Amino acid sequence: MLVEDLKIVLKVAEFRSITAAARHLNMSTSTASAAIKRTEKSLGADLFVRTTRQLRLSSAGERYIPQCEQAVVMLDQAKHNIRDGLDTIGGELRLAVSSDFGRNLVIPWLDEFMDTHPDLTLRTNISDSNIDFYRDAVDMALRYDAPSESGVYGFKICNAPRLLCATKSYLNKHGTPEHPDDLLSHNGLFYQLHDIVHDAWEFTKDDEHHKIRMKGNRASNDGDLVRRWCVAGKGVAMKSCLDMSVDLLKGNVVNLLPAYKPTATELWLVFPSRQSITPAARLLRDALKEKCGETLRALIEKGVLQKDVLDAGD
């Protein structure tokens, strides 16, 4: 009985679908089906009950799958223990990350990480759309805000405050806002997800709360494009401090209304299951924490952020 066949069986049991499991594992449906047949033949019992509309565990499968899962975890852990003893980290990292943060910061960090661990391979899904772990075949995702789905696992990487940004040339032409209400006369640059334009910006100062419905002539589902418009002086953008960090540190843009805080944001590394949290993934988590910490400290030294932003936690 092949261990790889057992892993396919477990994925089929998890998704209740051979097609979905095969897509997640980046293989053909016929390959996944063959693995199930080999395992069932070796056991002398059917693990699944197949109908035209669905697939479910048989009574034998309900007894077998939990023990099979434990066995596979133990075998994987034994393999990792050997690799740890040899001081090597291998395997595949399948990571989803947003376009702006991914292209401009995370990818260079990943290149450095993989140079340190040459036995790793990498697959990235760079998109600002909502990621489906199973549909998009990824094992982890860097997301802003804590995960809300049940059954997923996450590690907080850092606080990532949103900032209101614009270029000095834009402000020289249109004036510098001193209060959130002043933004009504400015051109907003918006992120759009599906048909929803994020044009309602909220700010807090002490006990004051302000919600401004902005007007603007540009919106995109690509956060990197919104940043580029901002750097080009086309208007005012509400962006994560990490997304804008390079431009803030170079002086390409400035932080507006620092006394008025936009809604707080955090960066999380999220996994669909405990089995996805491999030793390589844990090392990557630690590397991301270190790199994000360096970026936040640089923004603090620049006077863009306050020191309390470094209170990350897990």
Side-chain angles (χ1 to χ4, degrees), residues 260-276:
Y260 294 87
K261 306 298 182 185
T263 305
T265 314
E266 301 169 346
L267 180 68
W268 283 70
L269 185 61
V270 183
F271 300 83
S273 66
R274 288 188 181 276
Q275 287 71 31
S276 300

Side-chain angles (χ1 to χ4, degrees), residues 7 23 28 30 56 63 70 80 108 145 184 197 213 218 220 225 234 252 254 256 280 298:
K7 290 181 178 180
R23 186 183 302 118
S28 67
S30 60
R56 61 181 176 83
R63 295 192 303 271
Q70 293 176 13
H80 293 315
D145 293 326
L184 294 173
V197 177
R213 180 70 67 176
R218 287 173 171 83
S220 176
L225 181 54
K234 303 302 182 183
N252 296 335
V254 295
L256 305 177

Side-chain angles (χ1 to χ4, degrees), residues 54 58 82 84-85 122 190 213 220 268 292:
Q54 64 179 356
S58 66
I82 291 176
D84 291 345
L122 172 68
F190 305 125
R213 180 70 67 176
S220 176
W268 283 70
C292 287

Side-chain angles (χ1 to χ4, degrees), residues 88-137:
T88 61
I89 291 292
E92 184 177 62
L93 296 173
R94 301 193 297 184
L95 173 70
V97 63
S98 61
S99 65
D100 201 351
F101 185 40
R103 291 189 182 101
N104 299 309
L105 288 180
V106 176
I107 294 303
W109 294 347
L110 287 173
D111 288 340
E112 182 180 332
F113 183 76
M114 292 182 67
D115 287 342
T116 306
H117 304 286
D119 291 332
L120 285 171
T121 59
L122 172 68
R123 294 191 184 188
T124 59
N125 183 317
I126 296 184
S127 173
D128 286 326
S129 299
N130 292 329
I131 292 295
D132 183 305
F133 283 108
Y134 307 125
R135 180 196 65 209
D136 299 313

Side-chain angles (χ1 to χ4, degrees), residues 88-291:
T88 61
I89 291 292
E92 184 177 62
L93 296 173
R94 301 193 297 184
L95 173 70
V97 63
S98 61
S99 65
D100 201 351
F101 185 40
R103 291 189 182 101
N104 299 309
L105 288 180
V106 176
I107 294 303
W109 294 347
L110 287 173
D111 288 340
E112 182 180 332
F113 183 76
M114 292 182 67
D115 287 342
T116 306
H117 304 286
D119 291 332
L120 285 171
T121 59
L122 172 68
R123 294 191 184 188
T124 59
N125 183 317
I126 296 184
S127 173
D128 286 326
S129 299
N130 292 329
I131 292 295
D132 183 305
F133 283 108
Y134 307 125
R135 180 196 65 209
D136 299 313
V138 297
D139 295 319
M140 65 191 96
L142 272 173
R143 293 179 176 176
Y144 289 117
D145 293 326
S148 57
E149 309 97 314
S150 61
V152 302
Y153 299 85
F155 300 96
K156 181 178 175 182
I157 301 299
C158 66
N159 293 316
R162 292 186 182 95
L163 301 177
L164 193 65
C165 298
T167 61
K168 291 180 180 179
S169 61
Y170 172 86
L171 297 173
N172 289 337
K173 185 175 181 180
H174 299 279
T176 301
E178 298 181 358
H179 187 277
D181 290 341
D182 297 338
L183 293 172
L184 294 173
S185 63
H186 284 266
N187 187 52
L189 306 172
F190 305 125
Y191 172 65
Q192 177 178 335
L193 181 61
H194 305 306
D195 294 328
I196 301 175
V197 177
H198 292 248
D199 58 359
W201 294 352
E202 300 185 43
F203 304 87
T204 300
K205 179 183 179 184
D206 299 326
D207 295 329
E208 301 176 23
H209 182 76
H210 304 270
K211 184 174 183 178
I212 308 299
R213 180 70 67 176
M214 292 289 295
K215 295 180 180 180
N217 61 7
R218 287 173 171 83
S220 176
N221 65 346
D222 188 329
D224 191 32
L225 181 54
V226 176
R227 181 190 63 82
R228 290 171 183 267
W229 283 334
C230 183
V231 174
K234 303 302 182 183
V236 179
M238 178 81 75
K239 294 279 290 176
S240 159
C241 65
L242 293 174
D243 292 351
M244 299 301 298
S245 60
V246 174
D247 294 303
L248 286 163
L249 293 171
K250 288 182 177 180
N252 296 335
V253 297
V254 295
N255 178 27
L256 305 177
L257 301 175
Y260 294 87
K261 306 298 182 185
T263 305
T265 314
E266 301 169 346
L267 180 68
W268 283 70
L269 185 61
V270 183
F271 300 83
S273 66
R274 288 188 181 276
Q275 287 71 31
S276 300
I277 310 174
T278 64
R282 292 181 185 276
L283 280 179
L284 177 61
R285 173 203 61 189
D286 295 341
L288 289 170
K289 281 188 175 184
E290 180 179 351
K291 290 297 186 181

Side-chain angles (χ1 to χ4, degrees), residues 156 158-161 163 258 261 264-266 296-297 299-301 304-313:
K156 181 178 175 182
C158 66
N159 293 316
L163 301 177
K261 306 298 182 185
T265 314
E266 301 169 346
L296 294 177
R297 283 189 288 273
L299 291 172
I300 291 171
E301 292 178 4
V304 176
L305 299 176
Q306 301 296 316
K307 290 183 179 180
D308 59 2
V309 75
L310 290 175
D311 179 22

